[in-house]
Amino acid sequence: MECDICREDFDQAERTPKNVPCGHTVCLRCLQRNQKKECPTCRKAFTSSPTDLPTSLIALRTIGRLRDARVPRGWCPDCRTAATPRCWDDHDVLATKAALRRHLRADVLQQAAGQLPGLRDQCQELEVLLTLLTAESWDLTLRDGSNVLTGTVRNAGEPLVKAVWLVLAAKAALAKQQVAVNTVSIKQEAEPHPQTNDDEDTLLVENVHFSPAAREQEERGASPPPATANPCRAAAVAATPPRPAGRPPRAAASPHHSARKQPPAGGLPDLARELDVRGRDTTSPTAKEAVLRDAPGVARLFGVDCDEDPAWSLQLLLHAAPTLEHLSVNYPRAEHLHALQGMPLLRRLEVQCPDSALDKDPPLFSQQCELGHRGLQWLNVWNLPRVTLQTLLRAHGRSLETLELYVGTAGEDDWPWSCGDLHVLLLRSDLRALKRLVLRRWHCSHELADCNRQRSAARRVLAAAVEVLCELCDKVWNEGV
């Protein structure tokens, strides 16, 4: 609720809602700024001092319920994001509307309107502008560090939308490129063969990706190509990147890397439909071919270490993709994560990224699950880049019921070892089906007071029935994929 005079939200401090005798409700600050003892709305006089006027209990109860259901509204200019509890203590936080007014003053909009006519002459690639103007719709991904904004703009002949395309064509240096989208055909008892679809028109600019092809294919009823947030970046990994100096041995490089029982030697159990790669010989090409032959038809695939042989690991995932329901994957590269979107039955997923290989160029997931994908129900994530995690959660927000996230409490370390604004990530992820959130603390910061604040903030932005637990405080053991 907001004051009708200053348009700022009521609170229990300087903007306390006060009942004026005439019946209007005005914040305390507006009443105190008025030199006359009269209602700023109707100008009727009153005799009491503003502080002695009765407080609107109805308004306080309403804003109390709203505060419990959302993150406090505020913008931190220092962090350039929605204010966190730490921002309110350490930075000069602005009210959201005040921050917006500062950036979008009336004269700014007037100046922008005056500059539009001259932009057409600044467009060096007129074909790019025509492409923007004539397509039925565009899927947009705007990316800036840890922030990712996604959406769809439809060309409905609106002048304002046309102006947006004009600004982008003139100011964003868009360039039209032909992007080959590669798929791999999968057959039982046969080697995978690369197959290339028709080229896809894509407009690319740094921090912006437009791709109309997938939406057009969906509207025609055709099967879309394998989803990739930015196909120009989805190149095959030819060799394993060097591991960081001082990385712990593989057996200790993940929270529960060897906790699962190994299958009996000699092959895949017929009835279990389960394949644990760590229990198989993968030291020679012949041994790897044997594992690939066992992959089609499995429902549970464990222990896939993608960094040892990225190309072979990708083949293994693609062989198992059509029937896979449970998957545990370690050290993934971008192409391995993109392969997840081609697993229509996948319900349980464990992803561990000990080497931080994805941090330099984090991959993005499509805004929604691919057509025919049932969506994840259970997810366990360790050290996935924050922007990648957020797009993954948004893609499965309507089906995900359990999220086990390795994340620390507020501190000085980088994500995910410390995190003071977990509630912001959860709020932006739109987790509509979530029932249980478990905060894992392996190698992460954990202070009891910060943990209590973190869990309380998480509960405020999630549905009331969601169970929010800490691995250490609530003694929650890892159940495994």
Side-chain angles (χ1 to χ4, degrees):
M1 296 185 64
E2 63 183 18
C3 174
D4 291 335
I5 305 303
C6 64
R7 297 298 181 185
E8 297 291 349
D9 290 341
F10 289 128
D11 56 27
Q12 299 187 50
E14 62 178 0
R15 299 195 186 278
T16 301
K18 291 292 184 176
N19 287 330
V20 187
C22 60
H24 292 112
T25 301
V26 184
C27 78
L28 177 61
R29 184 175 181 182
C30 289
L31 292 173
Q32 291 175 332
R33 293 176 63 179
N34 191 357
Q35 296 181 355
K36 299 180 181 180
K37 291 185 178 181
E38 61 181 21
C39 174
T41 303
C42 65
R43 302 301 179 185
K44 289 187 178 180
F46 56 88
T47 57
S48 302
S49 66
T51 55
D52 293 333
L53 291 173
T55 300
S56 175
L57 298 180
I58 295 178
L60 285 181
R61 282 196 293 267
T62 301
I63 63 176
R65 288 194 296 267
L66 293 174
R67 184 180 297 110
D68 291 338
R70 69 183 185 187
V71 179
R73 298 180 64 184
W75 183 259
C76 179
D78 296 320
C79 300
R80 292 186 297 177
T81 187
T84 66
R86 175 167 292 188
C87 294
W88 289 98
D89 294 335
D90 300 339
H91 300 155
D92 294 327
V93 177
L94 296 175
T96 303
K97 294 181 179 179
L100 191 60
R101 286 197 298 267
R102 175 179 295 185
H103 289 281
L104 292 179
R105 303 185 308 270
D107 60 325
V108 171
L109 299 179
Q110 293 174 358
Q111 293 173 9
Q115 294 175 1
L116 286 176
L119 288 181
R120 186 171 57 184
D121 296 333
Q122 299 180 26
C123 295
Q124 298 181 358
E125 298 289 343
L126 296 181
E127 293 81 1
V128 168
L129 178 57
L130 290 172
T131 302
L132 289 168
L133 292 170
T134 55
E136 290 187 8
S137 63
W138 289 95
D139 291 337
L140 278 69
T141 297
L142 307 180
R143 177 175 174 179
D144 175 23
S146 61
N147 298 312
V148 175
L149 305 177
T150 59
T152 300
V153 179
R154 295 188 177 274
N155 278 333
E158 299 179 30
L160 191 59
V161 174
K162 293 182 179 180
V164 170
W165 302 142
L166 178 60
V167 172
L168 284 174
K171 296 295 186 180
L174 295 175
K176 191 172 183 179
Q177 301 180 10
Q178 296 294 323
V179 180
V181 181
N182 295 325
T183 63
V184 178
S185 60
I186 304 171
K187 297 180 181 178
Q188 288 189 353
E189 301 178 1
E191 293 295 328
H193 300 286
Q195 173 182 331
T196 304
N197 289 347
D198 294 337
D199 286 348
E200 172 186 346
D201 283 344
T202 303
L203 296 181
L204 295 175
V205 63
E206 184 177 4
N207 291 342
V208 186
H209 173 236
F210 304 89
S211 179
R215 180 170 297 277
E216 293 174 358
Q217 284 189 334
E218 179 180 334
E219 292 172 353
R220 293 197 305 266
S223 298
T228 173
N230 190 336
C232 282
R233 289 199 286 261
V237 177
T240 303
R243 296 180 180 175
R247 194 177 76 174
R250 180 173 296 276
S254 61
H256 43 277
H257 192 277
S258 58
R260 210 171 282 105
K261 292 182 179 180
Q262 302 296 338
L268 180 67
D270 292 334
L271 298 179
R273 298 177 64 216
E274 177 177 310
L275 175 59
D276 193 331
V277 181
R278 290 191 300 269
R280 301 290 297 272
D281 178 18
T282 58
T283 58
S284 67
T286 302
K288 292 180 179 180
E289 290 177 3
V291 175
L292 290 179
R293 285 195 297 269
D294 284 338
V298 301
R300 296 177 292 278
L301 178 60
F302 304 129
V304 181
D305 291 334
C306 300
D307 64 332
E308 294 182 342
D309 189 338
W312 176 81
S313 300
L314 179 60
Q315 290 184 20
L316 178 62
L317 294 178
L318 295 174
H319 273 59
T323 57
L324 206 54
E325 299 175 12
H326 299 182
L327 173 63
S328 171
V329 61
N330 310 306
Y331 304 92
R333 305 302 182 241
E335 62 270 22
H336 301 110
L337 294 181
H338 292 320
L340 302 178
Q341 298 174 114
M343 300 176 181
L345 303 182
L346 190 63
R347 302 298 267 171
R348 294 174 70 89
L349 173 64
E350 178 183 274
V351 181
Q352 300 180 14
C353 308
D355 58 358
S356 303
L358 300 172
D359 290 351
K360 183 178 180 181
D361 193 9
L364 306 179
F365 286 87
S366 300
Q367 188 172 6
Q368 296 181 348
C369 286
E370 293 298 294
L371 293 176
H373 199 301
R374 296 168 59 188
L376 293 174
Q377 284 186 330
W378 184 93
L379 176 63
N380 181 297
V381 175
W382 186 56
N383 199 26
L384 199 64
R386 177 165 175 153
V387 62
T388 304
L389 173 63
Q390 182 170 314
T391 58
L392 176 61
L393 294 178
R394 285 192 63 85
H396 297 272
R398 297 187 179 185
S399 61
L400 189 64
E401 297 180 356
T402 299
L403 172 61
E404 298 200 354
L405 181 62
Y406 286 83
V407 64
T409 56
E412 302 301 326
D413 295 328
D414 295 331
W415 165 269
W417 322 118
S418 296
C419 180
D421 61 343
L422 177 63
H423 59 288
V424 176
L425 171 67
L426 297 172
L427 180 65
R428 294 173 177 173
S429 299
D430 195 20
L431 300 171
R432 305 182 186 183
L434 195 66
K435 297 179 180 179
R436 178 181 169 94
L437 171 63
V438 180
L439 305 178
R440 300 287 177 190
R441 305 302 194 185
W442 194 80
H443 278 204
C444 297
S445 61
H446 179 265
E447 296 292 339
L448 181 59
D450 290 337
C451 181
N452 291 333
R453 283 192 289 269
Q454 186 182 62
R455 285 185 288 166
S456 297
R459 292 187 182 102
R460 287 200 300 268
V461 301
L462 296 173
V466 177
E467 188 179 23
V468 181
L469 304 173
C470 169
E471 175 184 31
L472 300 180
C473 298
D474 299 308
K475 294 180 170 52
V476 183
W477 303 111
N478 199 312
E479 60 181 277
V481 67

